């Protein structure tokens, strides 16, 4: 290492510019000087070395050698700008960095790091600094907000040094666990109140912690929304696992149900503070809580109820010293650090998992109900004919599921058949299930994302492993908890366009095509249903058909505008879509409402859609869009790279005409044209505007300007200036003048 250090000092030994050029065999004007004492062997050696170095520098564009040399020549400084925050009880490690940490060739510079007077302060919080590596580490023991500390570093031998001041916040830790006196499975009477459904414990470490939000899930065959009149959260002050007079009520509420999923209750704005004392850290900060149920007198016998804390995201708390909490990120200066997230310590139970924590099973006393039954209907819907487009998602079948009043039924599998002239396996690209949240029988933006995709076997479409909970206390299809599902088809882009068109109609012939079971006993459920039919979908995506697929507004034309004038589709460009009629001012849409029939086409990540008024919709392209503008879109040619087309996905309820009608897809996919170009002897790009006032014209392709030779030489001059004080400059200068004289 010592010899290497001498070499580096020689490498950066400063000489004047004239001395440097003279050693290179040149004058300050770049002219070659006459050698006073020719030495052929020396000249041959220098030429060989120069050739090798030139090849290496040319291949790497000088970047590695130049940046290393410049970096090493910079003054020694600590480069770390911010440090990661930490958490009590969670191992912490953060590495400070200085520009001397990487010497020429990538060898560690070996700085000496010191906290000085801050060492004792940080040690009192459980953190120490490794003087050799600059790593601050440890397991913090208590919380603090914005603790200031100083750090210094110097090069080996103390030649150079630097110092900096930083701030660190340490957040506390919350333990979550089942209570030590969690109840056991028991029988309850109808109308019973303050029934202990669960006990759980939370422990604060390092600071006082405020519990803000807790969310619990209802399990069992009973209806948590219908059979439980009130759910209560108590502080179990005497930690006896029982609700008694000394236990304060912290919050109360009722379960709510999301279709197909377990009911949940969220206690918000709890505001309970768990106190931690640094003098007795192991025996304080402990708080027990109880969940209590009030049952209705009408609850039916043999129904079961159970409360569960199932997700690590179902809690929210804040540290009152640090000001940070479980929903916060720790933040800091090192993007590669592991010290980025606040955690809650969920204590593992005997079965080896953390959440869920489940209370005892509460069974209502009385006689067991009759055979569990699942009912399926579509409310007497009569099928109709509907046009559909290739590569477009279309609602194919509506299904409503409800159970008998005494059971919770788990829907496992559905087999759906298609009776049209087309073939499901060949012509349907994908079939998906959605929860029909707005219960209107058609897929809309409100319905969110699909939760299941099908497998195909000929004309049979199967959805397996659904695990959808159906619990309707009234035993009626109109029950608010009835589960409404939608089946959608997305057709392949090569479905033949013929006359008469190919058709597709989804149907379920009988209850034998649906399997379900009772939640608690797992006994098979009886399925009661009529034959269910969906609409007859006719593929009419033909150039011979014009207009929209319904009586609402539809897209009539599409034009691309090259806003950055670079001659190709890129981020920030726009596509102006004109509708056949004016649109309401509150219209909105997302990229998911669009269809691009050519395989692989998209408008880029982060694309947006706006409605400036009139009949205009403007799509602003996001990052890395893929569209082919030259040429004209043909419905029969949808392979990747073909001229691009565009359309809406079936109907889009958020796009509305001024007379209140919902936008529909054009029956024929639109070609994406390009804006008219206004050019002159100096113009290099389109002068058109996406305001919609210009007309469309011939499609164009602009060539990007090539980099001039002068730019290359200017870059070389910059490299020369950077190398003036290095040995490598001799060789680089020869290379520079060699290129300049070409």
């Amino acid at each position: 290492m010592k010899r290497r250090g001498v070499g580096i000092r020689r490498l950066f030994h400063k000489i004047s510019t004239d001395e440097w050029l003279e050693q290179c065999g040149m004058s300050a004007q770049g002219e070659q000087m006459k050698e006073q004492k020719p030495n052929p062997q020396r000249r041959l050696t220098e030429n060989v070395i120069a050739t090798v170095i030139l090849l290496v520098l040319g291949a790497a564009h000088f970047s590695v050698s130049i940046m290393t040399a410049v970096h090493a020549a910079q003054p020694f400084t600590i480069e770390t700008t911010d440090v990661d925050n930490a958490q009590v009880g969670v191992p912490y490690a953060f590495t400070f960095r200085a520009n001397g940490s990487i010497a020429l060739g990538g060898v560690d510079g070996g700085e000496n790091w010191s906290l000085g007077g801050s060492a004792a302060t940080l040690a009192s919080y459980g953190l120490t600094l490794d003087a050799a590596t600059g790593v601050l580490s440890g397991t913090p023991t208590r919380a603090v907000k914005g603790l200031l500390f100083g750090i210094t570093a110097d090069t080996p031998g103390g030649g150079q040094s630097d110092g900096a001041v930083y701030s660190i916040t340490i957040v506390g830790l919350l333990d979550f666990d089942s209570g030590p006196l969690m109840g056991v499975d028991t029988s309850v009477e109808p109308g019973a109140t303050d029934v202990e459904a669960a006990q759980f414990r939370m422990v604060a470490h390092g600071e006082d912690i405020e519990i803000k939000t807790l969310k619990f899930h209802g399990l069992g065959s009973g209806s948590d929304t219908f059979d439980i009149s009130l759910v209560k959260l108590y502080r179990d002050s005497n930690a006896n696992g029982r609700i008694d007079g000394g236990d304060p009520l912290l919050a109360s509420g009722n379960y709510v149900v999301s279709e197909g999923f377990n009911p949940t209750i969220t206690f918000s704005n709890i505001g309970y503070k768990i106190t931690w004392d640094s003098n007795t850290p192991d025996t304080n900060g402990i708080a027990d809580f109880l969940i209590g149920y009030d049952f209705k007198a009408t609850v039916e016998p043999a129904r079961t109820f159970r409360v569960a804390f199932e997700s690590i995201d179902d809690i929210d708390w804040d540290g009152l010293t640090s000001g940070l909490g479980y929903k916060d990120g720790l933040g800091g200066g090192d993007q590669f650090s592991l010290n980025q997230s606040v955690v809650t310590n969920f204590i593992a139970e005997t079965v080896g998992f953390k959440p869920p924590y489940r209370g005892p099973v509460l069974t209502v006393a009385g006689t067991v109900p009759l055979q569990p039954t699942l009912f399926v209907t579509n409310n007497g819907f009569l099928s109709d004919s509907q046009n559909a487009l290739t590569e477009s998602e279309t609602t194919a079948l509506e299904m409503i599921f409800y159970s008998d009043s005494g059971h919770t039924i788990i829907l496992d599998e559905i087999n759906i058949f298609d009776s049209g002239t087309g073939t499901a396996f060949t012509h349907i690209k994908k079939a998906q299930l959605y929860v029909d949240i707005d219960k209107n029988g058609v897929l809309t933006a409100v319905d969110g994302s699909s939760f299941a995709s099908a497998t195909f076997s000929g004309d049979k479409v199967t959805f397996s492993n659904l695990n959808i909970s159906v619990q309707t206390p009234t035993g009626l299809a109109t029950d608010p908890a009835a589960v409404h599902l939608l089946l959608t088809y997305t057709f392949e882009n090569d479905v033949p366009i013929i006359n008469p068109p190919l058709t597709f109609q989804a149907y379920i012939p009988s209850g034998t095509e649906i399997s379900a079971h009772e939640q608690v006993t797992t006994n098979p459920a009886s399925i009661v249903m009529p034959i269910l039919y969906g609409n007859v979908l006719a593929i009419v995506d033909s150039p011979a058909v014009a207009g929209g697929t319904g009586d609402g507004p539809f897209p009539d034309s599409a034009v691309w505008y090259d806003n950055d004038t670079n001659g190709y589709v890129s981020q920030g460009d726009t596509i102006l879509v004109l509708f056949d009629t004016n649109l309401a001012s509150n219209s909105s849409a997302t990229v998911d409402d669009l269809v691009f029939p050519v395989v692989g086409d998209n408008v880029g990540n982060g694309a947006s859609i706006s409605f400036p008024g009139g009949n205009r919709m403007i799509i602003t392209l996001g990052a890395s869009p893929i569209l082919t503008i030259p040429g004209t879109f043909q419905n029969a040619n949808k392979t990747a790279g073909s001229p691009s087309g565009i359309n809406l996905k079936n109907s889009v309820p958020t796009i509305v005409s001024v007379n209140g009608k919902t936008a529909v897809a054009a029956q024929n996919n639109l070609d994406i044209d390009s804006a008219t170009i206004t050019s002159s002897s100096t113009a290099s790009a389109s002068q058109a505007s996406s305001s919609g006032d210009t007309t469309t014209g011939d499609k164009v392709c602009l060539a990007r300007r090539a980099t001039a030779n002068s730019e290359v030489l200017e870059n070389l001059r910059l490299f020369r200036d950077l190398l003036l004080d290095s040995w490598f400059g001799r060789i680089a200068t020869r290379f520079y003048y060699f290129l300049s004289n070409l």
Side-chain angles (χ1 to χ4, degrees):
M1 290 297 295
K2 181 178 180 180
R3 295 185 61 184
R4 177 177 175 79
V6 172
I8 292 176
R9 287 195 293 273
R10 290 177 178 173
L11 173 63
F12 294 101
H13 173 66
K14 292 189 175 181
I15 60 175
S16 69
T17 304
D18 291 341
E19 289 176 323
W20 175 49
L21 292 173
E22 182 177 350
Q23 292 184 25
C24 293
M26 303 178 187
S27 68
Q29 291 74 34
E31 299 175 355
Q32 186 169 348
M33 301 176 60
K34 184 181 295 184
E35 295 189 13
Q36 309 234 345
K37 295 182 180 181
N39 188 329
Q41 183 175 1
R42 175 184 174 186
R43 176 64 64 190
L44 176 61
T45 301
E46 289 182 348
N47 286 340
V48 170
I49 294 174
T51 301
V52 172
I53 297 299
L54 290 177
L55 291 173
V56 173
L57 293 176
H61 299 283
F62 303 110
S63 60
V64 175
S65 298
I66 292 168
M67 295 310 296
T68 303
V70 173
H71 184 68
Q74 291 176 347
F76 177 80
T77 58
I78 297 176
E79 293 182 337
T80 298
T81 57
D82 297 289
V83 300
D84 286 353
N85 293 324
Q87 187 174 12
V88 172
V90 179
Y92 176 88
F94 180 85
T95 302
F96 289 91
R97 303 181 185 278
N99 67 337
S101 294
I102 301 178
L104 189 64
V107 179
D108 194 303
E111 295 83 9
N112 297 311
W113 297 86
S114 173
L115 289 172
S118 299
T121 301
L122 284 175
S124 69
Y125 290 93
L127 298 176
T128 58
L129 179 71
D130 189 311
T133 63
V135 175
L136 182 67
S137 63
T139 301
T141 56
R142 58 193 176 106
V144 66
K145 181 178 182 179
L147 175 66
L148 296 177
F149 66 95
I151 189 170
T152 60
D154 56 62
T155 57
Q160 297 187 63
S161 64
D162 191 25
V165 176
Y166 299 97
S167 171
I168 187 172
T169 292
I170 302 174
V171 65
L173 177 69
L174 181 71
D175 287 349
F176 190 100
D177 195 5
S178 297
L181 296 176
M182 178 74 81
V184 297
D185 295 353
T186 188
S187 175
V188 298
E189 295 295 327
T193 59
D194 280 337
V195 177
E196 294 84 2
Q199 184 199 46
F200 56 93
R201 169 171 288 184
M202 288 186 279
V203 182
H205 297 280
E207 65 177 322
D208 294 348
I209 287 179
E210 179 184 346
I211 306 302
K212 299 171 63 179
T213 302
L214 290 169
K215 180 179 179 181
F216 295 91
H217 300 252
L219 309 177
S221 64
S223 172
D224 298 282
T225 58
F226 190 78
D227 294 330
I228 300 175
S229 61
L230 195 62
V231 184
K232 305 171 186 178
L233 174 66
Y234 288 96
R235 168 72 165 93
D236 190 4
S237 298
N238 53 12
N240 66 351
R242 306 289 297 176
I243 298 173
D244 48 42
D247 296 335
L249 177 65
L250 303 180
S252 62
N254 297 102
Y255 278 103
V256 295
V257 65
S258 299
E259 284 193 87
F261 302 96
N262 290 323
T264 60
I265 182 168
T266 301
F267 298 114
S268 302
N269 303 315
I270 298 172
Y272 183 81
K273 182 177 73 173
I274 303 176
T275 304
W276 177 82
D277 184 355
S278 60
N279 295 318
T280 56
D282 297 326
T283 59
N284 71 91
I286 301 173
D288 291 338
F289 300 85
L290 292 166
I291 297 293
Y293 279 179
D294 286 357
F295 287 97
K296 291 182 178 180
T298 55
V299 61
E300 295 190 10
R303 289 191 174 183
T304 59
F305 299 86
R306 193 178 195 186
V307 67
F309 183 91
E310 292 197 336
S311 171
I312 61 175
D313 294 322
D314 291 343
I315 189 171
D316 188 7
W317 57 265
D318 280 344
L320 298 182
T321 298
S322 65
L324 294 177
Y326 185 48
K327 298 297 184 182
D328 298 316
L330 288 175
D334 189 345
Q335 61 177 321
F336 303 107
S337 171
L338 298 178
N339 313 307
Q340 294 296 302
S341 299
V342 179
V343 301
T344 296
N345 185 27
F346 293 99
I347 307 299
E349 296 188 326
T350 56
V351 293
F353 55 74
K354 294 180 180 179
Y357 301 97
R358 295 174 176 171
V361 176
L362 307 177
T363 304
V364 179
T367 306
V368 177
L370 301 176
Q371 169 73 23
T373 305
L374 178 67
F375 301 90
V376 190
T377 184
N378 59 2
N379 276 342
F381 170 79
L382 299 177
S383 62
D384 195 2
S385 295
Q386 179 181 340
N387 292 335
L389 304 174
T390 59
E391 285 289 338
S392 179
E393 189 171 23
T394 305
T395 303
L397 180 64
E398 176 189 13
M399 297 166 282
I400 303 172
F401 296 84
Y402 60 103
S403 67
D404 67 89
S405 61
H407 296 90
T408 297
I409 308 297
I410 305 300
L411 177 60
D412 298 315
E413 182 175 288
I414 307 173
N415 291 318
I416 301 171
F417 296 83
D418 195 274
S419 62
T421 58
T423 303
F425 178 79
T426 304
H427 298 137
I428 298 176
K429 184 177 183 179
K430 57 184 176 181
Q432 299 181 99
L433 283 182
Y434 292 81
V435 175
D436 187 10
I437 295 175
D438 52 13
K439 302 180 181 180
N440 65 352
V442 295
L443 181 65
T444 64
V446 176
D447 298 329
S449 303
S450 68
F451 67 90
S453 296
T455 58
F456 293 87
S457 176
D459 281 326
K460 181 180 178 181
V461 181
T462 301
F463 293 92
S464 303
N465 302 314
L466 295 176
N467 195 31
I468 298 174
S469 174
V470 183
Q471 183 186 66
T472 51
T474 64
L476 301 173
T478 55
D479 193 298
V483 177
H484 293 240
L485 299 182
L486 295 174
L487 166 70
T488 66
Y489 285 167
T490 301
F491 295 98
E492 298 283 1
N493 62 6
D494 58 355
V495 177
I497 306 301
I498 59 177
N499 192 16
L502 290 178
T503 60
F504 301 82
Q505 184 178 30
Y507 75 102
I508 305 177
S510 70
T512 59
E513 303 301 335
I514 296 177
S515 62
H517 68 273
E518 201 275 328
Q519 183 183 56
V520 177
T521 65
T522 69
N523 292 330
S526 174
I527 311 297
V528 177
M529 61 172 291
I531 300 177
L532 298 187
Y533 287 101
N535 279 327
V536 177
L537 305 178
I539 306 300
V540 296
D541 188 7
S542 168
V545 181
T549 56
D551 62 353
F554 61 88
D556 191 50
S557 65
V559 181
W560 164 68
Y561 288 86
D562 186 17
N563 293 332
D564 55 6
T565 68
N566 63 0
Y568 57 89
V569 175
S570 58
Q571 185 173 7
D573 289 355
T574 52
I575 297 175
L576 173 67
V577 179
L578 299 180
F579 283 74
D580 69 312
T581 187
N582 287 342
L583 304 174
S585 59
N586 61 347
S587 291
S588 64
T590 68
V591 173
D592 291 336
D593 296 320
L594 305 177
V595 171
F596 297 94
V598 173
V599 175
D601 277 6
N602 66 79
V603 289
N605 186 31
S608 61
I609 299 177
S610 60
F611 293 82
N615 65 337
R616 293 170 294 169
M617 178 178 79
I618 294 179
I619 305 167
T620 301
L621 303 188
S624 305
I626 300 176
L627 295 171
T628 302
I629 302 303
T632 301
F633 169 76
Q634 299 292 333
N635 191 63
N637 187 12
K638 300 176 183 176
T639 57
S642 301
S644 295
I646 191 173
N647 208 338
L648 293 183
K649 279 186 178 178
N650 209 12
S651 64
V652 182
T654 54
I655 304 177
V656 183
S657 66
V658 290
N659 59 1
K661 292 188 176 181
T662 297
V664 297
Q667 289 194 10
N668 182 32
N669 292 325
L670 306 177
D671 172 54
I672 302 178
D673 208 339
S674 64
T676 302
I677 299 299
T678 301
S679 62
S680 67
S681 59
T682 59
S684 61
S686 168
Q687 305 298 318
S689 167
S690 61
S691 65
D693 298 329
T694 61
T695 58
T696 57
D698 294 336
K699 299 184 179 183
V700 297
C701 182
L702 303 177
R704 299 187 70 182
R705 180 174 60 86
T707 304
N709 289 336
S710 61
E711 291 179 340
V712 176
L713 295 178
E714 178 62 26
N715 288 333
L716 289 173
R717 291 189 184 96
L718 292 174
F719 287 136
R720 177 197 62 184
D721 294 341
L722 291 172
L723 289 171
L724 280 175
D725 291 330
S726 72
W727 177 83
F728 289 110
R730 303 178 183 180
I731 303 304
T733 302
R734 291 187 179 184
F735 184 45
Y736 163 69
Y737 282 109
F738 170 75
L739 292 178
S740 299
N741 293 325
L742 290 179

